Amino acid sequence: MFEQIPWLSIIILLPLVAAFAIPVLPDKDGKTVRLFSLGVGLADFVLMCYVFWKNYDASNSSFQLVEKYDWVPQIGFSWAVSVDGLSMPLVLLAGLVTTLSILASWQVDRKPRLFYFLMLLLYAAQIGVFVAQDVLLLFIMWELELVPVYLLVSIWGGQKRRYAATKFLLYTAAASIFILIAGLGMALYGGGQPTFDMVELGLKDYPLALELFLYAGLLIAFGVKLAIFPLHTWLPDAHGEASAPVSMILAGVLLKMGGYGLIRLNLGLLPDAHVYFAPVLAMLGVINIIYGAFSSFGQTNMKRRLAYSSVSHMGFVLLGIASFTDVGISGAMLQMLSHGLIAALLFFLAGVTYDRTHTLWMDEMGSIGKVMPKVFALFTAGAMASLALPGMSGFASELAVFVGVSTSDIYSSPFRTVTVFLAAVGLILTPIYLLSMLRQVFFEPGTAPTCDIEGKNLRLGEDEAVCFGTNCVLPMNAVYSDAKPREVFIAVCFLVLIVGIGFYPKLATQMYDTTTVAVNSQVRQSYTEIAQTNSYKFAQGILYPHMVESEVASIVE
C-alpha cells in the first residue's frame, strides 16, 4: 500500500495547498499564521526525509519514486516527477533552508498572511523544479517560483526594492524562455508524437548543430540563475534589497537551480554539445571566481559583499561541471550543497546584525563584537566555512573541484595549469575580503557622525544616545541584545551540517556519486566518439585533438 502512495506529489502539493488555507485562518496578530507556516514547512521536510530514507536507493543511478500522469496527452505533456542522485540532495537542501527561513522571519508583522502564503508557494515551486521529469513541467515550476520571489523582494525589501525585484524578474523570466524553446525543440525533433519526458528525450539522436543551439540557449537560461558573468548583475541588487529570510532562499536554493539545470539537461541530454562547450564553461568559471572575489573588495554593503562572494563560489560549480572527471562533477554537486548551507547561514546572520544596527553599511558599524559575542562567533564560523577552512564543507567541495580539474585527462597540461592557478588566486582572495568584513563590522571603530534626536545634536559615544553610524536612537530604544535562542538554533542547524560534511564528506557524496559517475561516463563516451572523427582545430592547446586506441579504451572502461 505504501509503495503506491504518490510521495513526491504529496511533498509538492502539501505546502501549495496549505498556502491557500492561510487567507481563511482565524488570526489577528499573525501568530497563528506564523506557527501554521512553520508547522507545514517542518512537516514537509520531515516527510521528505522519511520518504527518501525508506524508498531511495543511493546505489541506483536511474530515476526513482517515479510518478507519471498524462496531463495534456495531445502534446505529450504529463505530470512526471521522480528523483535521482542529482535531485534528491537538492530537494532536502530546499526543504531545510526554506523551513529555517520561515523560522527566521518570526518578526515579520507587515502583511503576515501574504508573506507566509508566498513563502509556502515558493517552497512548493522549488521542490517542483528539482523533481520534474518533464521539461515542460520544469519550465512551469521555474516560472511559478519567480512570482513569490518578486513579491517578497518588492514588498518586504529595502529602499530600492522595486528596482531590484523588477530587475530579478526581467533577467530570470527573459532567460527562462530558452528553457521552453529548448524543450519544444527536443520534443518536436524527429516527428511523431511529441514528448517532454527527459528519459525519452535523452534517447533521441540530435544533429550536432541542433545540440549546440539547444545547449547555448539552456546555458543562458541556467547561467542567469547561477549568476554566471556577465549575466549576474541581478544578484547583488536582489540580495542588497531583500530581507534576510528571502536572501537565505535566494543564495541557498535558487542559485542551485542553475547548476542543477546544467547537469540535468545540458550534460544529461546534450552530451555531444557539452564536449564543445566544456572549455567555455571552465573559462567562465575562472572569470566568476576572480571577478566575484575582486568585486567583493569594493562593496561596503555587507549583503552585497556576500552576494559577490556567491558569484565567486559558483565559479567552482562551473569548473567541476566542465572537468570531465567523476571527482570534479561530484565536487560541483558538493559545492552546491555546501554553498547552500554556508550562504544561507551568512545571509541570516547579516539579517541578525541588521536587526540590531539598522544598517548594512559596514563603515557605519564597528565595535559591536563586544556587545554581541554570540553573533560574532557564529558569523566567524560561517566565514571560516566560506573561505574553505579544513574541517568545513567548503574545503571538501573546493578541493574536489581542484583535484577534478587538475587530473582531467581531456584537457591539455597548459590549460589545466592556467585554470588551476587562476582559481587558486580567487581562493586566496576569499579569506581577505571575508576577514576584513569581520574586522570592520565587529571590531574596527565605526564613523562618528553627528546625530539629531529631538532637535539635539549628539555624538557617537555620548551617554545620551546609542549610534551605529547615522542611525541613532535613545537608550531606551537601543537593542544591544545578543543572539536569541531562536537565532542560535537556526545558525547551529546550518553549522552542524557544514562541519559534519567537512569532516565526513561521504554524508553528502554517497547520495549522488552513482548518478554523477553515470552522467560523466556518458559525457566521456561522447568525447571519445567525437575525438575519433574531429581534429579539434578550434580547441588546439585546450583539448587533446587526437586519442590513440589505448586512451579510447581507458575512457570507455
Side-chain angles (χ1 to χ4, degrees), residues 239-251:
H239 275 307
E241 301 302 324
S243 61
V246 179
S247 287
M248 291 170 65
I249 298 177
L250 272 174

Side-chain angles (χ1 to χ4, degrees), residues 105 164 231 279 291 437 512:
S105 58
L231 306 175
Y291 169 81
M437 179 185 70
Y512 59 77

Side-chain angles (χ1 to χ4, degrees), residues 453-475:
I453 297 182
E454 297 182 355
K456 295 174 62 179
N457 286 332
L458 302 170
R459 297 194 64 81
L460 180 66
E462 294 187 2
D463 294 334
E464 290 83 359
V466 176
C467 298
F468 293 100
T470 57
N471 256 297
C472 296
V473 296
L474 294 174

Side-chain angles (χ1 to χ4, degrees), residues 289 309-310 312-317 319-320 327-328 330-336 338-339 342 383-390 392-406 420 423-424 426-431 433-434 501 505:
I289 293 170
S309 176
S310 295
S312 180
H313 283 90
M314 289 302 97
F316 288 99
V317 176
L319 279 181
V327 67
S330 176
M333 276 294 298
L334 187 58
Q335 176 72 349
M336 287 194 286
S338 170
H339 181 267
I342 296 170
M384 294 297 109
S386 184
L387 59 83
L389 182 74
M392 301 282 200
S393 60
F395 174 78
S397 60
E398 293 179 13
L399 178 63
V401 171
F402 273 111
V403 172
V405 174
S406 61
V420 171
L427 191 64
I428 294 171
L429 295 174
T430 305
Y433 65 74
L434 286 176
I501 294 174

